[in-house]
Amino acid sequence: MAFVTWLRRHLVVIAGLLTLGYLLLPNIVVTVFSFNRPKGRFNYEWQEFSTDAWKDPCGVSGMCGSLSLSLQIAFWATLGATALGTAIAFALVRYRFRARGAVNSLIFLPMAMPEVVMAASLLTLFLNMGAQLGFWTILVAHIMFCLSFVVTAVKARVMSMDPKLEQAAQDLYAGPFQTFVRVTLPIAAPGIAAGALLAFALSFDDFIITNFNAGSTVTFPMFVWGSAQRGTPVQINVIGTAMFLVAVLSVLASMVIGNRRTKHKA
Amino acid sequence: MSTLTEAPPPLAPETPTKKPPRRRGRLVPYWLLLPGILWLLVFFALPMIYQASTSVQTGSLEEGYKVTWHFATYWDALSEYWPQFLRSVAYAAAATVLCLLLGYPLAYLIAFRAGRWRNLIMILVIAPFFTSFLIRTLAWKTILADGGPVVGALNTLHVLDVTSWLGWTSGDRVLATPLAVVCGLTYNFLPFMILPLYSSLERIDGRLHEAAGDLYARPATVFRKVTFPLSMPGVVSGTLLTFIPAAGDYVNADLLGSTDTRMVGNVIQGQFLRVLDYPTAAALSFILMAAILVMVTVYIRRSGTEDLV
């Protein structure tokens, strides 16, 4: 009976941890199989332990090239989407103007549209324009779908900002430019950073829209997709594991630094 | 991600702008908006118009296409591919329900029970986002492999007998069956459910639970009458963020399914990139878009949180 009572009290915790396990199970498998030495072309069955793939992560032709291409695209897409999106967010929160409703729905629609629909329509446009599919069409598409996410992230932050802080800055004789750089921007920074991070992750990982608009250019997700058909090298698991570790460690590091800062201030 | 939940209460944005803008000109907002909005108009709205016109064209790749207002394409596409449409809706709905059932306890755990573990669990929920989702989806091939431990366990428990009878799996395998596709969809979009749920749960004042308890509500009643209704915004936006991308997805159906589990996304992709039948592909994606818009509108009306989106 004691067990049943215990179970009932901790039901939520147990169910929650099981879900967490479900979420992390593929990552565990990816990590374990990065140490596999597969027999055939496919890395789906465990054969024997080996660190070969970790010693030679770029040993597969084309993979690291696609990885660096994806990083470049994600970098420029983040830059573009963050700049355009932050401007829109400020305009939406700080000003009242005509066509606000229309602008709001134009921002919302790309997030509520299945990716495949956007991907297909963009391809129709590019085909009609006779555009050469490749780096630039991918970049244009990525900026387009990251934009809305940046706007929402920045908007949330700017909205919770106290306008009195800016008024105070002006009372202290700060000019408009100074106010913006010294007061507005630092307060909005976490929102902008969140939007940029989201844009980077979305762009780096996007497959569906890229698949339609890449032509013969191969980004990292497209390389993985191709390898699922032709045979998956172990190095893919190495990259997957490394990305997971980098993500966890960088978030942990930023938290530690953040904690230290708040302590210093206090 | 948490985007839909961040939506403002409708009147909030007006407050800071009540005072006439100081120092800044009247055109400033338009200059701020111009580049971004132009980008969206040219690369989001204009393509939709192009696609609309493509869907009513006839012709062939060699001779070129002409707009002939051939609406029959829609009818033909629908009558040929209605099973794939039906499947997309069914799989996406199943995945959404599963995400809600699986995601709620975890969101609740992070919001109310995790204590000092909260940040760590949060990181573990978000970090998989940074590992390519294709790599993680491929890992499900290993997990659900024929004769693997998962399939073995399900077999011993006679779960597969039941699911096979229901038509969700076939024989003693899970890969290449609807169950595998739904499992993959659930997995892929689970964080999109957890994050909005968490952000709406986190806003609930813990004292409300105590108050309900003081009024002799049992834990189940507290959940039913207080917690769940207050988390409705999260439930609604989580459902949308899961259902919409799941209905248009073709990666899971391709990697984990078979030709019998093709969804409408697979058809659109095939028509566009392999068959090169652009009018049919355009018509199909318009039908998908319309179907989703209708369902979303009905759903938002029903759940009574119109100001959410």
Side-chain angles (χ1 to χ4, degrees), chain A residues 120-133:
Chain A
S121 66
L122 205 52
L123 176 62
T124 326
L125 175 82
F126 288 144
L127 289 176
N128 272 301
M129 288 182 357
Q132 174 80 38
L133 296 179

Side-chain angles (χ1 to χ4, degrees), chain A residues 16 19 22-23 27 33 44 87 94-95 100 108 113 120-122 124-125 128 170 198 205 211 221 240 243, chain B residues 1 13 17 23-24 32 39 43 50-51 54 102 106 131-134 142 183 187 250 269 272 289 292 309:
Chain A
T19 303
Y22 177 70
L23 266 178
N27 280 96
F33 275 75
Y44 296 140
R94 285 305 170 80
Y95 297 90
R100 243 188 108 113
F108 172 72
M113 194 74 67
S121 66
L122 205 52
T124 326
L125 175 82
N128 272 301
Q170 280 168 353
L198 192 59
D205 206 18
N211 186 26
M243 287 198 292
Chain B
M1 266 164 256
T17 45
R23 69 199 148 79
R24 289 161 177 159
L32 284 173
W39 201 280
F43 299 115
Y50 261 113
Q51 201 173 18
T54 307
L102 290 171
L106 184 53
T131 314
S132 173
F133 86 99
L134 281 171
T142 307
C183 171
Y187 166 76
Y250 60 81
Q269 191 243 13
F272 247 113
M289 189 175 84
I292 284 181
V309 195

Side-chain angles (χ1 to χ4, degrees), chain B residues 121-247:
Chain B
I121 300 181
M122 209 59 188
I123 295 171
L124 291 178
V125 171
I126 299 171
F129 265 118
F130 291 86
T131 314
S132 173
F133 86 99
L134 281 171
I135 300 183
R136 289 180 285 127
T137 309
L138 282 174
W140 279 104
K141 270 192 144 152
T142 307
I143 299 168
L144 299 175
D146 301 344
V150 173
V151 172
L154 290 177
N155 241 332
T156 329
L157 296 169
H158 294 286
V159 175
L160 289 186
D161 296 342
V162 182
T163 52
S164 295
W165 181 74
L166 286 168
W168 296 352
T169 56
S170 60
D172 55 357
R173 59 185 318 212
V174 173
L175 267 188
T177 66
L179 187 70
V181 178
V182 171
C183 171
L185 288 171
T186 309
Y187 166 76
N188 265 320
F189 299 110
L190 193 51
F192 293 88
M193 180 66 90
I194 292 172
L195 294 176
L197 276 179
Y198 163 74
S199 70
S200 70
L201 280 172
E202 190 216 36
R203 277 175 216 169
I204 299 177
D205 191 336
R207 282 174 295 184
L208 288 173
H209 293 158
E210 289 166 27
D214 287 347
L215 296 167
Y216 299 106
R218 296 191 310 137
T221 321
V222 176
F223 178 76
R224 199 162 47 86
K225 297 254 174 158
V226 179
T227 316
F228 190 73
L230 285 175
S231 68
M232 256 334 252
V235 174
V236 173
S237 54
T239 315
L240 294 178
L241 285 174
T242 318
F243 181 82
I244 298 172

